[in-house]
């Protein structure tokens, strides 16, 4: 629309706060949005506009700015083979660079008490089954995932139920051998597939799987309208 003037404002008890803005040659606005103390709510930001200097301002649009309290989570990385390991400092730095932008930080630990277990080795001999069924793949735990989690919980009675866990395993079962990781949505336990690697250093892969499990995100390309965008953006 052709506006003579656009202002961006936040309502407050005394009226409104007008935000500082800059406008480029293409008509795009950049806003300076203040941090607000009430982290339990979202803040409405209105665009008010007028078509000429002789007409009053009217509401041209609104968006909600979500406010988040800072949070700290724990991630425990669990190798299933003696030769597997993780660069804890590097992974923690990488995932905090990603999630720190929304006030979320992680402390990362490694638990090597689950390596070379005979039952675990037997389950993973031909790779981890990631497909509960064709409809729920990547969304719910398979029977092998549940068995691994149960084995870990039974051997760790003091397991931190508030932490997220990522098991380092060999690979996913056919036909998903190329898969890098899997953390079923809304689950606290996930899996990173080492394949020919012995040391985990890819913090972005870890952050991606946490997005599924801890935050219940699904891939953007899982939406029909965005199905052709796979690997075409820098989205996490």
């Amino acid at each position: 629309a052709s506006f003579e003037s656009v202002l961006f404002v936040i309502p407050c008890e005394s009226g409104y706060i007008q935000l500082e803005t800059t406008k480029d040659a293409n008509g795009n606005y950049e806003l300076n949005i203040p941090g607000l103390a009430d982290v339990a709510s979202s803040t409405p930001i209105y665009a008010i506009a007028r078509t000429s200097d002789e007409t009053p301002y009217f509401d041209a649009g609104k968006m909600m700015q979500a406010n988040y309290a800072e949070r700290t989570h724990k991630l425990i990385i669990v190798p299933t083979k003696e030769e597997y390991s993780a660069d804890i400092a590097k992974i923690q730095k990488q995932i905090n660079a990603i999630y720190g932008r929304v006030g979320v930080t992680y402390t990362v630990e490694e638990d090597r008490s689950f390596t070379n277990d005979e039952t675990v080795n037997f389950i993973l001999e031909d790779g981890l089954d990631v497909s509960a069924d064709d409809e729920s793949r990547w969304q719910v735990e398979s029977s092998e995932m549940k068995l691994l989690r149960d084995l870990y919980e039974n051997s760790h009675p003091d397991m931190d139920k508030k932490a997220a866990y990522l098991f380092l395993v060999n690979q996913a079962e056919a036909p998903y051998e190329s898969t890098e990781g899997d953390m079923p949505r809304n689950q606290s336990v996930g899996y990173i597939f080492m394949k020919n690697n012995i040391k985990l250093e890819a913090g972005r892969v870890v952050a991606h799987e946490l997005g599924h499990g801890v935050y219940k995100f699904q891939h953007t390309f899982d939406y029909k309208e965005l199905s052709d965008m796979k690997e075409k953006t820098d989205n996490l």
Side-chain angles (χ1 to χ4, degrees):
S2 177
F3 297 134
E4 181 271 334
S5 174
V6 179
L7 305 177
F8 296 89
V9 299
I10 296 175
C12 63
E13 290 182 1
S14 59
Y16 62 85
I17 301 168
Q18 182 177 335
L19 303 183
E20 295 179 11
T21 64
T22 57
K23 180 182 178 183
D24 67 20
N26 296 318
N28 300 308
Y29 290 87
E30 182 174 307
L31 316 181
N32 262 339
I33 302 174
L36 301 172
D38 181 8
V39 296
S41 65
S42 296
T43 303
I45 300 174
Y46 288 87
I48 59 175
R50 65 184 182 188
T51 54
S52 73
D53 58 8
E54 298 176 352
T55 58
Y57 281 94
F58 61 92
D59 290 346
K62 181 180 78 168
M63 72 176 184
M64 300 299 292
Q65 170 69 30
N67 300 316
Y68 297 100
E70 292 185 348
R71 292 181 294 167
T72 299
H73 296 302
K74 182 189 291 185
L75 169 64
I76 300 175
I77 296 176
V78 183
T80 59
K81 289 187 177 182
E82 191 63 42
E83 60 266 33
Y84 293 164
S85 65
D87 189 329
I88 298 301
K90 184 175 182 179
I91 290 170
Q92 180 171 291
K93 182 178 180 180
Q94 289 177 351
I95 64 175
N96 283 341
I98 292 169
Y99 284 113
R101 288 178 290 179
V102 289
V104 175
T105 56
Y106 277 86
T107 59
V108 184
E109 302 174 4
E110 187 179 50
D111 176 11
R112 301 193 61 81
S113 65
F114 205 49
T115 59
N116 297 332
D117 181 281
E118 290 185 5
T119 306
V120 173
N121 288 339
F122 178 77
I123 295 170
L124 297 174
E125 185 176 7
D126 56 353
L128 178 67
D129 178 15
V130 299
S131 181
D133 57 59
D134 289 340
E135 295 299 323
S136 61
R137 187 173 66 250
W138 320 124
Q139 298 184 42
V140 300
E141 289 183 306
S142 68
S143 56
E144 287 189 352
M145 291 177 179
K146 291 177 181 177
L147 184 54
L148 278 181
R149 177 168 53 81
D150 289 344
L151 286 170
Y152 185 84
E153 289 182 354
N154 291 338
S155 62
H156 295 75
D158 58 346
M159 178 180 178
D160 186 348
K161 296 298 179 66
K162 293 183 178 180
Y165 291 79
L166 284 175
F167 291 175
L168 306 186
V169 303
N170 51 355
Q171 65 183 31
E173 196 175 71
Y176 306 107
E177 297 94 335
S178 63
T179 304
E180 293 184 281
D182 183 14
M183 194 170 189
R185 288 170 65 189
N186 202 28
Q187 296 290 336
S188 61
V189 177
Y191 308 87
I192 299 294
F193 301 114
M194 303 299 284
K195 292 176 277 192
N196 297 321
N197 299 322
I198 60 172
K199 189 170 188 177
L200 175 65
E201 299 180 280
R204 186 176 174 84
V205 173
V206 171
H208 176 100
E209 298 309 330
L210 291 172
H212 289 311
V214 177
Y215 304 109
K216 298 183 278 189
F217 296 152
Q218 65 187 72
H219 298 127
T220 50
F221 53 81
D222 288 340
Y223 295 94
K224 181 180 178 181
E225 293 80 3
L226 298 173
S227 59
D228 62 342
M229 295 304 294
K230 186 175 183 178
E231 298 180 353
K232 294 182 181 178
T233 77
D234 61 358
N235 289 346
L236 175 62

